[in-house]
């Protein structure tokens, strides 16, 4: 009779231990799942930050190319203005040369008439 009680108590203790093991296993499993979800969320956040950084880099690159194009356009305009200025100086020199030539011819005509 006493032995039966001890065996029953032992079986209850074994069952309680098994239940505790199952509960611990479940809790560990849930904790691991939560950790995995958290790691996944961190990975997704890191990926989003990387894409954002890439987008900013591409935008900066596009701005740099745009600025370079504007600088080249300004250089081209400056060279065009220099060319016009040189052409104007050349035209003025040519006009002065024609005036000097006309004055020279007039002087030669005047001298030949005398």
């Amino acid at each position: 009779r006493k032995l039966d009680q001890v065996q029953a108590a032992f079986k209850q203790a074994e069952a309680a231990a098994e239940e505790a093991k199952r509960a611990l296993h479940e809790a560990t499993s849930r904790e691991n799942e939560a950790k995995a979800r958290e790691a996944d969320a961190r990975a997704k956040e890191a990926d989003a930050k990387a894409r954002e950084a890439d987008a900013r880099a591409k935008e900066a690159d596009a701005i740099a190319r745009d600025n370079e194009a504007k600088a080249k356009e300004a250089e081209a305009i400056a060279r065009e203005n220099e060319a016009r200025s040189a052409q104007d100086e050349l035209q003025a020199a040519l006009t002065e040369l024609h005036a000097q030539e006309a004055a020279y011819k007039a002087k030669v005509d005047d001298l030949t008439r005398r």
Side-chain angles (χ1 to χ4, degrees), residues 73-86:
E73 184 180 358
E75 285 177 25
I77 290 170
R79 282 196 301 275
E80 191 177 323
N81 289 340
E82 287 175 16
R84 279 199 192 108
S85 179

Side-chain angles (χ1 to χ4, degrees), residues 25-97:
H25 179 70
E26 261 184 55
T28 304
S29 180
R30 282 195 301 272
E31 183 182 4
N32 288 340
E33 287 173 11
K35 284 179 181 177
R37 283 192 300 274
E38 190 178 326
D40 188 48
R42 279 197 301 270
K44 285 178 180 172
E45 184 180 354
D47 190 44
K49 284 181 181 177
R51 283 194 306 274
E52 191 178 320
D54 187 48
R56 280 196 302 270
K58 285 179 180 174
E59 184 180 358
D61 190 43
I63 289 170
R65 281 195 307 274
D66 187 47
N67 288 341
E68 189 178 335
K70 286 177 183 174
K72 286 182 180 177
E73 184 180 358
E75 285 177 25
I77 290 170
R79 282 196 301 275
E80 191 177 323
N81 289 340
E82 287 175 16
R84 279 199 192 108
S85 179
Q87 191 176 8
D88 290 346
E89 287 177 25
L90 192 60
Q91 188 62 47
L94 193 58
T95 302
E96 188 179 336
L97 188 62

Side-chain angles (χ1 to χ4, degrees), residues 6-22:
V6 170
Q7 283 179 334
F10 182 74
K11 282 187 180 184
Q12 276 184 331
E14 266 190 334
E18 283 300 314
E19 185 58 35
K21 272 191 208 174
R22 263 194 306 280

